[in-house]
């Protein structure tokens, strides 16, 4: 490891162009930065769960081309055939982890329903007019003793793995489900049953033979909304699980303690040789760095350590009986591994840190928009923004940061009841990577309150050509 905390070989990995490029994505993170075109559209989860509108959730296609007449508008929607899915997170059938596998194509979006356990497959051959192609019904998922799908990652060679947060009754334990990319059939349970109790997000680093998974809670705990009594009863997670990627076994569990309550999104640095990554602890409102501290004999992942590197202080609010936590609900790392961005959903700000030294992040900038402490109208003359910055997505060149404002329907209703009445927004900041600064784009606001069936919530964001929260390199 060098003096900046990066693993030796990082620079080499960013410039390793010794493979022929036959499959989807880019050969390296640096190639993604250099070869990608500016994003012209986004796929965004849109949903009606928890509102008074009787309509199915949908995949929204948002126009991001500033030269287009429909810039910053939802130009197409793929409605799901059922109601009540709670579309949440989603992913591609193939990504840069299979960039050297000929015959694969980044074409199908795998879109689970968090509440229904129904898994949809959408064909994006026509990027502006995607079509629903296939559905895996909940009963097929329940046969694997799993439910509540969350994170979708494509893995080298074509399989697709989904983290699952519960069993068919909404109780623990969760686990992982594997799909076959060729026909999207269920291959089976990825992990030995009972290997972990709680589950949430995961990220893998195949060259280091390691995967890290995080914890939320059992679906029966978080579905109705947040209750402090559940925290005191130990029903929410605070652990990281370090997996042997090839063996699919847990090699180590790290308890983050009271400072690491509800560790949600987890991101490794993009360099495939790095062992550094970050996880946001939502309730404790901290960010932890994790990294390998020693290797072990053989090809195992080695031993990892996690240390709190960013602490968001709770703030007093006249309408709250207790200090308001920031609630770090999403984070991402820029493709060049220089900047970390994360959202404080309850406070209402999105922050930018320089993580050139990943164990010593340096705050560089933030933007306030909505939330309990930000402006209700961050853009003068535009509609009211309820909810704080939540799901983030960054352009591959690191110059445009986008976010939506919905977290989870029942939690939205609890903390921002107006979100269901007015709908979500999607906002954008222009990022200057050289200066380390952000500026809210006052020409960009996508209003999910103006959908044909009525105001909708908006959640995770993806680009057609890969992004900073789904692409992995082998």
């Amino acid at each position: 490891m060098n003096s900046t905390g990066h693993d030796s070989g990082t620079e080499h990995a960013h410039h390793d162009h010794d493979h022929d490029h036959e499959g989807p994505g880019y050969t390296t993170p640096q190639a993604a930065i250099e070869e990608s075109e500016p994003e012209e559209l986004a796929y965004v989860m849109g949903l009606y769960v928890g509102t008074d509108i009787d309509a199915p959730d949908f995949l929204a296609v948002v126009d991001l081309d500033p030269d287009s007449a429909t810039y910053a508008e939802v130009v197409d929607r793929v409605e799901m055939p059922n109601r009540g899915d709670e579309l949440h997170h989603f992913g591609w059938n193939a990504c840069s982890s299979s960039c050297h596998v000929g015959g694969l194509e980044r074409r199908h979006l795998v879109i689970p329903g968090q509440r229904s356990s129904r898994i949809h497959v959408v064909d994006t051959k026509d990027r502006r007019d995607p079509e629903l192609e296939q559905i895996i019904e909940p009963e097929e998922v329940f046969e694997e003793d799993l439910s509540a799908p969350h994170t979708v990652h494509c893995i080298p060679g074509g399989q697709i793995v989904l983290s699952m947060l519960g069993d068919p009754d909404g109780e623990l334990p969760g686990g992982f489900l594997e799909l076959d990319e060729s026909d999207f059939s269920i291959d089976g349970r990825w992990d030995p049953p009972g290997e972990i109790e709680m589950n949430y997000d995961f990220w893998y680093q195949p060259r280091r033979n390691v995967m890290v998974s995080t914890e939320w809670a059992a679906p029966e705990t978080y579905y109705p909304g947040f209750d402090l009594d559940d925290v005191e009863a130990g029903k929410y997670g605070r652990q990281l699980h370090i997996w042997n990627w090839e063996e699919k076994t847990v090699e180590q569990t790290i308890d983050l303690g009271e400072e690491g309550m509800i560790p949600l999104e987890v991101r490794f640095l993009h360099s495939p040789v790095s062992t550094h990554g970050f996880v946001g602890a939502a309730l404790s409102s901290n960010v932890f760095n994790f990294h390998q501290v020693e290797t072990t004999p053989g090809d195992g992942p080695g031993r990892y350590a996690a240390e709190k590197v960013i602490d968001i202080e709770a703030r007093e609010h006249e309408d709250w009986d207790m200090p308001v936590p920031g609630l770090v609900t999403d984070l991402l790392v820029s493709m060049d591994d220089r900047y970390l961005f994360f959202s404080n959903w309850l406070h209402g700000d999105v922050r930018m840190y320089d993580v050139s030294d990943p164990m010593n992040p340096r705050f560089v900038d933030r933007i306030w928009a909505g939330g309990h402490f930000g402006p209700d109208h961050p853009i003068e003359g535009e509609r009211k923004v309820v909810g704080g910055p939540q799901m983030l997505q960054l352009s591959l060149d690191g110059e445009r940061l986008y976010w939506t404002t919905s977290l989870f329907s029942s939690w939205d209703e609890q903390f921002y009841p107006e979100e269901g009445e007015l709908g979500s927004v999607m906002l954008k900041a222009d990022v200057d990577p050289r200066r380390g600064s952000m500026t809210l784009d006052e020409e960009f606001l996508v209003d999910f309150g103006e959908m044909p069936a009525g105001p909708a919530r908006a959640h995770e964001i993806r680009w057609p050509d890969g992004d900073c929260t789904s692409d992995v390199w082998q």
Side-chain angles (χ1 to χ4, degrees):
M1 199 176 297
N2 63 28
S3 59
T4 65
H6 279 298
D7 303 89
S8 61
T10 300
E11 189 68 17
H12 168 74
H14 278 191
H15 299 280
D16 183 5
H17 292 272
D18 59 343
H19 300 285
D20 292 328
H21 186 190
E22 299 176 344
Y26 302 92
T27 53
T28 66
Q30 187 63 30
I33 296 169
E34 295 174 358
E35 298 170 9
S36 62
E37 298 292 332
E39 63 285 351
E40 293 188 347
L41 59 85
Y43 298 125
V44 183
M45 291 292 89
L47 58 154
Y48 284 109
V49 174
T51 72
D52 293 331
I53 296 169
D54 183 25
D57 297 349
F58 57 91
L59 169 70
V61 181
V62 177
D63 188 341
L64 302 182
D65 181 358
D67 295 326
S68 168
T70 54
Y71 178 55
E73 295 181 11
V74 175
V75 294
D76 192 37
R77 296 179 306 120
V78 180
E79 288 191 346
M80 302 304 148
N82 298 278
R83 288 163 170 72
D85 285 314
E86 183 118 25
L87 303 185
H88 194 62
H89 287 220
F90 63 128
W92 290 101
N93 65 307
C95 72
S96 294
S97 67
S98 297
C99 70
H100 307 120
V101 180
L104 282 179
E105 183 181 6
R106 193 201 310 261
R107 172 170 165 174
H108 291 92
L109 284 169
V110 178
I111 305 175
Q114 230 292 310
R115 287 184 188 266
S116 68
S117 299
R118 185 175 290 109
I119 301 171
H120 312 83
V121 179
V122 170
D123 186 349
T124 67
K125 182 180 181 180
D126 184 337
R127 291 181 172 182
R128 289 185 174 271
D129 187 21
E131 295 183 350
L132 179 63
E133 179 177 295
Q134 187 175 334
I135 294 175
I136 300 172
E137 294 295 344
E139 291 73 20
E140 299 175 67
V141 175
F142 298 157
E143 288 181 5
E144 303 298 331
D145 203 24
L146 293 168
S147 72
H150 190 270
T151 301
V152 180
H153 269 301
C154 42
I155 64 177
Q159 273 66 42
I160 300 158
V161 173
L162 295 82
S163 60
M164 311 291 291
L165 274 55
D167 70 7
D169 296 322
E171 300 173 349
L172 299 176
F176 293 88
L177 187 72
E178 184 169 307
L179 306 182
D180 189 324
E181 187 273 341
S182 63
D183 60 1
F184 301 103
S185 60
I186 291 177
D187 270 353
R189 189 168 183 144
W190 187 83
D191 56 315
E195 189 81 352
I196 55 173
E197 285 290 308
M198 296 182 195
N199 204 3
Y200 182 72
D201 193 28
F202 70 105
W203 193 290
Y204 66 98
Q205 196 76 313
R207 199 178 298 188
R208 292 293 191 177
N209 192 25
V210 63
M211 181 179 93
V212 176
S213 66
T214 61
E215 296 185 335
W216 190 4
E220 63 174 1
T221 299
Y222 66 81
Y223 275 177
F226 178 74
D227 188 337
L228 267 177
D229 289 341
D230 289 333
V231 177
E232 294 173 0
K235 294 184 177 180
Y236 279 97
R238 63 181 206 181
Q239 299 183 124
L240 303 183
H241 303 285
I242 312 299
W243 296 70
N244 182 315
W245 170 248
E246 293 182 356
E247 299 295 329
K248 307 175 184 176
T249 54
V250 175
E251 299 290 310
Q252 181 187 357
T253 292
I254 299 174
D255 189 336
L256 300 176
E258 295 294 327
E259 297 273 46
M261 290 300 302
I262 314 185
L264 294 181
E265 311 304 333
V266 58
R267 320 290 186 201
F268 267 105
L269 296 188
H270 298 286
S271 166
V273 299
S274 179
T275 68
H276 280 273
F278 297 95
V279 60
L283 185 59
S284 303
S285 300
N286 299 317
V287 176
F288 282 75
N289 166 277
F290 59 84
H291 61 280
Q292 187 190 60
V293 291
E294 63 181 52
T295 58
T296 54
D299 296 325
R303 290 198 62 78
Y304 277 67
E307 299 176 23
K308 184 182 71 172
V309 292
I310 300 172
D311 188 353
I312 307 300
E313 290 190 10
R315 297 181 56 170
E316 299 289 340
H317 191 288
E318 59 183 6
D319 295 333
W320 281 58
D321 296 330
M322 56 178 279
V324 182
L327 213 73
V328 179
T329 49
D330 192 21
L331 55 76
L332 63 79
V333 178
S334 61
M335 196 57 76
D336 63 1
D337 288 339
R338 181 175 177 188
Y339 292 111
L340 172 74
F341 299 83
F342 65 86
S343 53
N344 285 312
W345 187 60
L346 288 181
H347 282 186
D349 60 323
V350 55
R351 296 195 181 196
M352 176 179 182
Y353 283 72
D354 186 330
V355 291
S356 300
D357 177 354
M359 294 184 67
N360 294 285
R362 180 174 64 86
F363 171 78
V364 294
D365 205 1
R366 71 178 173 187
I367 287 176
W368 287 100
H372 289 289
F373 297 96
D376 290 343
H377 293 82
I379 301 177
E380 188 176 350
E382 282 284 3
R383 57 152 286 185
K384 182 179 182 180
V385 173
V386 292
Q390 216 285 106
M391 293 309 297
L392 309 174
Q393 194 52 265
L394 183 69
S395 61
L396 293 174
D397 63 8
E399 296 184 0
R400 294 165 300 283
L401 180 73
Y402 302 79
W403 65 87
T404 55
T405 54
S406 170
L407 174 61
F408 193 71
S409 62
S410 49
W411 292 44
D412 288 351
E413 283 297 290
Q414 193 170 355
F415 295 103
Y416 296 111
E418 281 186 285
E419 180 93 347
E421 302 168 9
L422 300 178
S424 298
V425 298
M426 180 176 172
L427 297 172
K428 167 179 173 270
D430 291 315
V431 181
D432 185 337
R434 189 173 64 85
R435 297 179 182 274
S437 63
M438 296 185 289
T439 306
L440 184 67
D441 182 350
E442 299 196 354
E443 303 299 320
F444 185 93
L445 184 149
V446 182
D447 188 357
F448 279 78
E450 297 295 327
M451 296 297 100
R457 307 181 194 279
H459 196 66
E460 194 172 42
I461 306 165
R462 297 231 169 272
W463 313 139
D465 292 322
D467 49 57
C468 294
T469 61
S470 63
D471 271 78
V472 171
W473 277 268
Q474 189 175 20

Short mmCIF file of all heavy atoms in Angstrom, two decimals, residues 64-99:
data_model
loop_
_atom_site.label_atom_id
_atom_site.label_comp_id
_atom_site.label_asym_id
_atom_site.label_seq_id
_atom_site.Cartn_x
_atom_site.Cartn_y
_atom_site.Cartn_z
N LEU A 64 -32.19 13.32 -20.86
CA LEU A 64 -31.10 14.10 -20.27
C LEU A 64 -30.30 14.87 -21.30
O LEU A 64 -29.24 15.41 -20.99
CB LEU A 64 -30.16 13.17 -19.48
CG LEU A 64 -30.77 12.35 -18.35
CD1 LEU A 64 -29.69 11.53 -17.66
CD2 LEU A 64 -31.47 13.24 -17.34
N ASP A 65 -30.78 14.90 -22.53
CA ASP A 65 -30.07 15.60 -23.59
C ASP A 65 -30.45 17.08 -23.54
O ASP A 65 -31.58 17.45 -23.87
CB ASP A 65 -30.44 14.99 -24.94
CG ASP A 65 -29.72 15.67 -26.10
OD1 ASP A 65 -28.97 16.63 -25.84
OD2 ASP A 65 -29.92 15.24 -27.24
N PRO A 66 -29.53 17.96 -23.15
CA PRO A 66 -29.89 19.38 -23.01
C PRO A 66 -30.30 20.03 -24.33
O PRO A 66 -30.92 21.10 -24.31
CB PRO A 66 -28.61 20.02 -22.45
CG PRO A 66 -27.52 19.05 -22.73
CD PRO A 66 -28.13 17.70 -22.78
N ASP A 67 -29.99 19.40 -25.45
CA ASP A 67 -30.40 19.95 -26.75
C ASP A 67 -31.77 19.44 -27.19
O ASP A 67 -32.25 19.80 -28.28
CB ASP A 67 -29.35 19.60 -27.82
CG ASP A 67 -28.02 20.26 -27.53
OD1 ASP A 67 -28.02 21.38 -27.00
OD2 ASP A 67 -26.98 19.64 -27.82
N SER A 68 -32.38 18.57 -26.40
CA SER A 68 -33.66 17.97 -26.77
C SER A 68 -34.81 18.87 -26.34
O SER A 68 -34.75 19.56 -25.31
CB SER A 68 -33.80 16.60 -26.10
OG SER A 68 -35.12 16.12 -26.21
N ALA A 69 -35.90 18.81 -27.10
CA ALA A 69 -37.10 19.59 -26.76
C ALA A 69 -37.78 19.03 -25.51
O ALA A 69 -38.59 19.71 -24.88
CB ALA A 69 -38.08 19.58 -27.93
N THR A 70 -37.48 17.79 -25.16
CA THR A 70 -38.10 17.17 -23.97
C THR A 70 -37.08 16.98 -22.85
O THR A 70 -37.23 16.11 -22.00
CB THR A 70 -38.72 15.81 -24.35
OG1 THR A 70 -37.72 14.99 -24.99
CG2 THR A 70 -39.90 15.98 -25.28
N TYR A 71 -36.07 17.83 -22.83
CA TYR A 71 -35.04 17.77 -21.78
C TYR A 71 -35.68 17.86 -20.40
O TYR A 71 -36.58 18.66 -20.17
CB TYR A 71 -34.08 18.94 -21.97
CG TYR A 71 -32.98 19.05 -20.94
CD1 TYR A 71 -32.13 17.98 -20.67
CD2 TYR A 71 -32.79 20.24 -20.24
CE1 TYR A 71 -31.12 18.09 -19.73
CE2 TYR A 71 -31.78 20.36 -19.29
CZ TYR A 71 -30.94 19.28 -19.04
OH TYR A 71 -29.93 19.41 -18.11
N ALA A 72 -35.20 16.99 -19.49
CA ALA A 72 -35.67 16.95 -18.10
C ALA A 72 -37.14 16.54 -18.00
O ALA A 72 -37.83 16.96 -17.08
CB ALA A 72 -35.43 18.28 -17.40
N GLU A 73 -37.61 15.74 -18.95
CA GLU A 73 -38.98 15.23 -18.90
C GLU A 73 -38.96 13.70 -18.96
O GLU A 73 -38.03 13.10 -19.50
CB GLU A 73 -39.81 15.76 -20.06
CG GLU A 73 -40.03 17.26 -20.02
CD GLU A 73 -40.88 17.73 -21.19
OE1 GLU A 73 -41.47 16.87 -21.89
OE2 GLU A 73 -40.95 18.94 -21.41
N VAL A 74 -40.00 13.09 -18.39
CA VAL A 74 -40.19 11.64 -18.54
C VAL A 74 -40.80 11.42 -19.92
O VAL A 74 -41.93 11.86 -20.17
CB VAL A 74 -41.10 11.08 -17.43
CG1 VAL A 74 -41.40 9.60 -17.68
CG2 VAL A 74 -40.44 11.26 -16.06
N VAL A 75 -40.07 10.77 -20.81
CA VAL A 75 -40.51 10.64 -22.20
C VAL A 75 -41.13 9.27 -22.49
O VAL A 75 -41.73 9.08 -23.54
CB VAL A 75 -39.36 10.92 -23.17
CG1 VAL A 75 -38.93 12.38 -23.07
CG2 VAL A 75 -38.17 9.99 -22.92
N ASP A 76 -40.97 8.33 -21.58
CA ASP A 76 -41.61 7.02 -21.78
C ASP A 76 -41.72 6.34 -20.43
O ASP A 76 -40.94 6.63 -19.51
CB ASP A 76 -40.80 6.14 -22.75
CG ASP A 76 -41.57 4.91 -23.19
OD1 ASP A 76 -42.80 5.03 -23.38
OD2 ASP A 76 -40.96 3.83 -23.32
N ARG A 77 -42.72 5.47 -20.30
CA ARG A 77 -42.89 4.70 -19.06
C ARG A 77 -43.24 3.26 -19.44
O ARG A 77 -44.07 3.03 -20.32
CB ARG A 77 -44.01 5.28 -18.20
CG ARG A 77 -43.71 6.71 -17.68
CD ARG A 77 -44.86 7.26 -16.85
NE ARG A 77 -46.11 7.20 -17.59
CZ ARG A 77 -47.19 6.54 -17.19
NH1 ARG A 77 -47.17 5.86 -16.06
NH2 ARG A 77 -48.28 6.54 -17.92
N VAL A 78 -42.60 2.32 -18.77
CA VAL A 78 -42.96 0.91 -18.92
C VAL A 78 -43.73 0.51 -17.67
O VAL A 78 -43.15 0.36 -16.59
CB VAL A 78 -41.70 0.02 -19.08
CG1 VAL A 78 -42.12 -1.45 -19.24
CG2 VAL A 78 -40.86 0.48 -20.25
N GLU A 79 -45.03 0.39 -17.79
CA GLU A 79 -45.85 0.02 -16.64
C GLU A 79 -45.76 -1.47 -16.38
O GLU A 79 -45.80 -2.28 -17.31
CB GLU A 79 -47.31 0.41 -16.88
CG GLU A 79 -47.56 1.90 -16.84
CD GLU A 79 -49.06 2.20 -16.83
OE1 GLU A 79 -49.85 1.28 -17.12
OE2 GLU A 79 -49.43 3.34 -16.53
N MET A 80 -45.66 -1.84 -15.12
CA MET A 80 -45.65 -3.25 -14.76
C MET A 80 -47.09 -3.77 -14.74
O MET A 80 -48.03 -2.98 -14.57
CB MET A 80 -44.97 -3.43 -13.40
CG MET A 80 -43.54 -2.91 -13.39
SD MET A 80 -42.50 -3.66 -14.67
CE MET A 80 -41.36 -2.32 -15.07
N PRO A 81 -47.30 -5.06 -14.92
CA PRO A 81 -48.68 -5.56 -15.06
C PRO A 81 -49.45 -5.66 -13.74
O PRO A 81 -50.66 -5.82 -13.76
CB PRO A 81 -48.48 -6.94 -15.69
CG PRO A 81 -47.10 -7.33 -15.32
CD PRO A 81 -46.29 -6.08 -15.23
N ASN A 82 -48.73 -5.59 -12.61
CA ASN A 82 -49.39 -5.75 -11.31
C ASN A 82 -49.23 -4.47 -10.47
O ASN A 82 -48.34 -3.65 -10.73
CB ASN A 82 -48.79 -6.93 -10.54
CG ASN A 82 -49.01 -8.24 -11.28
OD1 ASN A 82 -50.06 -8.85 -11.19
ND2 ASN A 82 -47.99 -8.67 -12.02
N ARG A 83 -50.05 -4.34 -9.47
CA ARG A 83 -49.94 -3.22 -8.53
C ARG A 83 -49.24 -3.67 -7.25
O ARG A 83 -49.29 -4.84 -6.89
CB ARG A 83 -51.32 -2.67 -8.22
CG ARG A 83 -51.93 -1.90 -9.38
CD ARG A 83 -53.42 -1.72 -9.23
NE ARG A 83 -53.97 -0.79 -10.21
CZ ARG A 83 -54.12 -1.03 -11.50
NH1 ARG A 83 -53.74 -2.21 -12.01
NH2 ARG A 83 -54.63 -0.12 -12.32
N GLY A 84 -48.60 -2.69 -6.60
CA GLY A 84 -48.04 -2.98 -5.28
C GLY A 84 -46.67 -3.62 -5.25
O GLY A 84 -46.26 -4.15 -4.23
N ASP A 85 -45.94 -3.57 -6.37
CA ASP A 85 -44.62 -4.22 -6.40
C ASP A 85 -43.61 -3.52 -5.48
O ASP A 85 -42.75 -4.14 -4.91
CB ASP A 85 -44.06 -4.23 -7.82
CG ASP A 85 -44.73 -5.25 -8.71
OD1 ASP A 85 -44.92 -6.39 -8.25
OD2 ASP A 85 -45.07 -4.91 -9.86
N GLU A 86 -43.68 -2.21 -5.37
CA GLU A 86 -42.63 -1.35 -4.79
C GLU A 86 -41.31 -1.62 -5.52
O GLU A 86 -40.35 -2.22 -4.99
CB GLU A 86 -42.45 -1.53 -3.28
CG GLU A 86 -41.39 -0.58 -2.70
CD GLU A 86 -41.89 0.43 -1.66
OE1 GLU A 86 -42.90 0.16 -1.01
OE2 GLU A 86 -41.26 1.50 -1.52
N LEU A 87 -41.25 -1.15 -6.78
CA LEU A 87 -39.99 -1.21 -7.50
C LEU A 87 -38.98 -0.37 -6.74
O LEU A 87 -39.27 0.73 -6.30
CB LEU A 87 -40.16 -0.68 -8.93
CG LEU A 87 -41.22 -1.37 -9.79
CD1 LEU A 87 -41.18 -0.80 -11.21
CD2 LEU A 87 -41.02 -2.89 -9.82
N HIS A 88 -37.77 -0.87 -6.61
CA HIS A 88 -36.83 -0.23 -5.69
C HIS A 88 -35.46 -0.12 -6.35
O HIS A 88 -35.15 0.87 -6.98
CB HIS A 88 -36.80 -1.08 -4.42
CG HIS A 88 -36.16 -0.44 -3.24
ND1 HIS A 88 -36.62 0.71 -2.66
CD2 HIS A 88 -35.09 -0.82 -2.50
CE1 HIS A 88 -35.87 1.02 -1.62
NE2 HIS A 88 -34.91 0.12 -1.49
N HIS A 89 -34.64 -1.17 -6.25
CA HIS A 89 -33.34 -1.17 -6.92
C HIS A 89 -33.39 -2.11 -8.12
O HIS A 89 -34.21 -3.03 -8.16
CB HIS A 89 -32.24 -1.59 -5.96
CG HIS A 89 -31.92 -0.52 -4.95
ND1 HIS A 89 -30.66 -0.22 -4.54
CD2 HIS A 89 -32.74 0.35 -4.29
CE1 HIS A 89 -30.70 0.77 -3.67
NE2 HIS A 89 -31.95 1.13 -3.50
N PHE A 90 -32.51 -1.90 -9.09
CA PHE A 90 -32.51 -2.73 -10.29
C PHE A 90 -31.11 -2.74 -10.90
O PHE A 90 -30.23 -1.98 -10.48
CB PHE A 90 -33.57 -2.26 -11.28
CG PHE A 90 -33.40 -0.86 -11.85
CD1 PHE A 90 -33.42 -0.64 -13.22
CD2 PHE A 90 -33.24 0.25 -11.03
CE1 PHE A 90 -33.29 0.63 -13.75
CE2 PHE A 90 -33.10 1.54 -11.56
CZ PHE A 90 -33.12 1.72 -12.91
N GLY A 91 -30.91 -3.62 -11.88
CA GLY A 91 -29.58 -3.73 -12.46
C GLY A 91 -29.60 -4.36 -13.82
O GLY A 91 -30.66 -4.76 -14.33
N TRP A 92 -28.40 -4.47 -14.41
CA TRP A 92 -28.26 -4.98 -15.76
C TRP A 92 -27.99 -6.48 -15.78
O TRP A 92 -27.45 -7.04 -14.83
CB TRP A 92 -27.13 -4.25 -16.49
CG TRP A 92 -27.47 -2.83 -16.81
CD1 TRP A 92 -27.06 -1.72 -16.13
CD2 TRP A 92 -28.30 -2.38 -17.88
NE1 TRP A 92 -27.59 -0.60 -16.72
CE2 TRP A 92 -28.35 -0.96 -17.79
CE3 TRP A 92 -29.00 -3.02 -18.90
CZ2 TRP A 92 -29.08 -0.18 -18.69
CZ3 TRP A 92 -29.73 -2.25 -19.80
CH2 TRP A 92 -29.76 -0.86 -19.69
N ASN A 93 -28.29 -7.10 -16.94
CA ASN A 93 -27.98 -8.52 -17.12
C ASN A 93 -26.49 -8.74 -17.29
O ASN A 93 -25.97 -9.83 -17.02
CB ASN A 93 -28.71 -9.06 -18.33
CG ASN A 93 -28.24 -8.42 -19.63
OD1 ASN A 93 -28.22 -7.18 -19.74
ND2 ASN A 93 -27.82 -9.22 -20.60
N ALA A 94 -25.77 -7.71 -17.76
CA ALA A 94 -24.33 -7.84 -17.97
C ALA A 94 -23.71 -6.46 -17.83
O ALA A 94 -24.34 -5.45 -18.14
CB ALA A 94 -24.03 -8.43 -19.36
N CYS A 95 -22.45 -6.42 -17.36
CA CYS A 95 -21.77 -5.14 -17.19
C CYS A 95 -20.29 -5.32 -17.50
O CYS A 95 -19.88 -6.32 -18.08
CB CYS A 95 -21.98 -4.59 -15.78
SG CYS A 95 -21.08 -5.47 -14.49
N SER A 96 -19.48 -4.35 -17.09
CA SER A 96 -18.06 -4.40 -17.43
C SER A 96 -17.34 -5.58 -16.81
O SER A 96 -16.23 -5.91 -17.24
CB SER A 96 -17.39 -3.09 -16.99
OG SER A 96 -17.89 -2.00 -17.74
N SER A 97 -17.94 -6.24 -15.82
CA SER A 97 -17.30 -7.43 -15.26
C SER A 97 -17.20 -8.54 -16.30
O SER A 97 -16.41 -9.47 -16.15
CB SER A 97 -18.07 -7.94 -14.03
OG SER A 97 -19.35 -8.42 -14.38
N SER A 98 -18.01 -8.45 -17.35
CA SER A 98 -17.96 -9.43 -18.44
C SER A 98 -17.49 -8.79 -19.74
O SER A 98 -17.83 -9.27 -20.83
CB SER A 98 -19.35 -10.05 -18.66
OG SER A 98 -19.79 -10.74 -17.52
N CYS A 99 -16.68 -7.74 -19.64
CA CYS A 99 -16.32 -6.99 -20.84
C CYS A 99 -15.47 -7.81 -21.82
O CYS A 99 -15.33 -7.43 -22.97
CB CYS A 99 -15.62 -5.69 -20.48
SG CYS A 99 -13.97 -5.89 -19.81
#
